[in-house]
Amino acid sequence: MPKIELKQYKTLIFDCDGVILNSNKIKTQAFYDVAKIYGHEPAQALKDYHILNGGISRYEKFEYLLTDILNRSVVAKELEHLLLNFSKEVKKSLLTCEIATNIKELREKTKHAKWLIVSGGDQSELREIFYQRGIDDYFNGGIFGSPDDKVHIIRNAAINKQENYPILFLGDSYYDYLVSKKYQMDFVFISHWTAAPNWKDFVKEKKINSVGRLEDLIYD
């Protein structure tokens, strides 16, 4: 992989789960645990759907559970209950899971650039977790998440304005890559914590730059 010159980018966009936090396995299990009130098969189907659709918000995934897996209409109170239970399942673990190493050094190396989180995770939850873990100040461009999806976040937050380019998107899912291409952003696949199946084939097929961890982007 060619050396990635971070100094050329005015903006760095980070996904959260699997990039900043080692939280993919936590959330994968939580989808199953929350949905198992409907039985093993629906819970496993939701878990599988989540794995294949990393980067998409929990709101969309639980709506999929109700409409496509259970073949029911979405009832607001039921959806709200599922989302609340999911948040309870993951919040404690997000406060203790591993954070990407050398993130402070990476920030120093790119202090000229605006940093943003654009995640499928719940926005208010993300902001609280990042604050409590002492890393919110790194992201001077904002911390954004669901219920908006990543395409809407980038459009609504005006991240895609020409003044912010060139932009580098750092993600660990197929959806992250697709979003980056939609807005003509450069992309690096972060692989060490990814839950994306067959990611090596995907990276090879699309000729995507990839590194194991964020710290691998730090050069002397």
Side-chain angles (χ1 to χ4, degrees):
M1 186 193 77
K3 183 178 178 181
I4 298 167
E5 295 291 348
L6 295 178
K7 290 182 180 180
Q8 68 181 296
Y9 295 105
K10 292 183 180 179
T11 306
L12 272 64
I13 296 177
F14 299 80
D15 177 43
C16 175
D17 298 311
V19 176
I20 299 296
L21 300 179
N22 183 10
S23 47
N24 277 326
K25 290 181 180 179
I26 293 165
K27 290 192 173 180
T28 297
Q29 186 60 42
F31 276 108
Y32 178 87
D33 290 343
V34 170
K36 68 183 178 184
I37 59 172
Y38 303 108
H40 166 70
E41 289 188 6
Q44 186 62 47
L46 177 63
K47 181 179 177 180
D48 294 341
Y49 180 76
H50 162 69
I51 291 170
L52 290 172
N53 293 276
I56 295 175
S57 81
R58 67 187 64 175
Y59 293 79
E60 291 183 54
K61 289 171 183 174
F62 281 116
E63 286 182 355
Y64 180 85
L65 167 67
L66 296 172
T67 58
D68 290 67
I69 297 175
L70 297 174
N71 296 310
R72 291 159 46 179
S73 58
V74 175
V75 177
K77 284 189 176 180
E78 184 177 18
L79 179 60
E80 184 180 340
H81 182 70
L82 290 167
L83 291 166
L84 181 60
N85 285 345
F86 183 84
S87 183
K88 288 178 179 177
E89 286 278 336
V90 302
K91 194 171 183 180
K92 185 176 181 181
S93 295
L94 291 178
L95 287 169
T96 57
C97 69
E98 186 179 358
I99 300 175
T101 54
N102 298 89
I103 190 170
K104 183 177 181 180
E105 185 181 351
L106 182 63
R107 193 65 184 102
E108 278 294 309
K109 293 281 187 180
T110 58
K111 56 187 175 183
H112 65 285
K114 184 187 297 184
W115 274 29
L116 302 96
I117 291 289
V118 176
S119 172
D122 181 79
Q123 181 168 287
S124 59
E125 182 181 276
L126 284 169
R127 290 176 177 178
E128 182 180 350
I129 295 296
F130 276 53
Y131 171 76
Q132 290 196 38
R133 303 209 65 176
I135 57 174
D136 57 318
D137 285 346
Y138 295 145
F139 300 93
N140 58 330
I143 297 170
F144 302 99
S146 60
D148 285 345
D149 66 24
K150 293 180 180 182
V151 169
H152 286 93
I153 289 169
I154 291 171
R155 184 166 65 234
N156 294 342
I159 300 165
N160 59 324
K161 284 188 175 181
Q162 194 58 42
E163 66 200 47
N164 293 318
Y165 282 80
I167 299 175
L168 178 64
F169 196 126
L170 299 142
D172 73 323
S173 69
Y174 309 145
Y175 186 60
D176 290 339
Y177 170 75
L178 294 175
V179 171
S180 74
K181 293 302 104 181
K182 179 177 178 64
Y183 289 106
Q184 291 81 51
M185 301 172 180
D186 289 346
F187 184 78
V188 173
F189 193 97
I190 310 299
S191 66
H192 186 67
W193 293 329
T194 185
N198 303 314
W199 67 267
K200 290 182 181 179
D201 294 336
F202 179 77
V203 164
K204 184 177 181 180
E205 177 190 346
K206 300 295 184 181
K207 298 179 180 178
I208 301 170
N209 285 331
S210 68
V211 296
R213 302 170 181 263
L214 288 179
E215 65 186 81
D216 297 330
L217 294 169
I218 301 171
Y219 306 103
D220 294 330

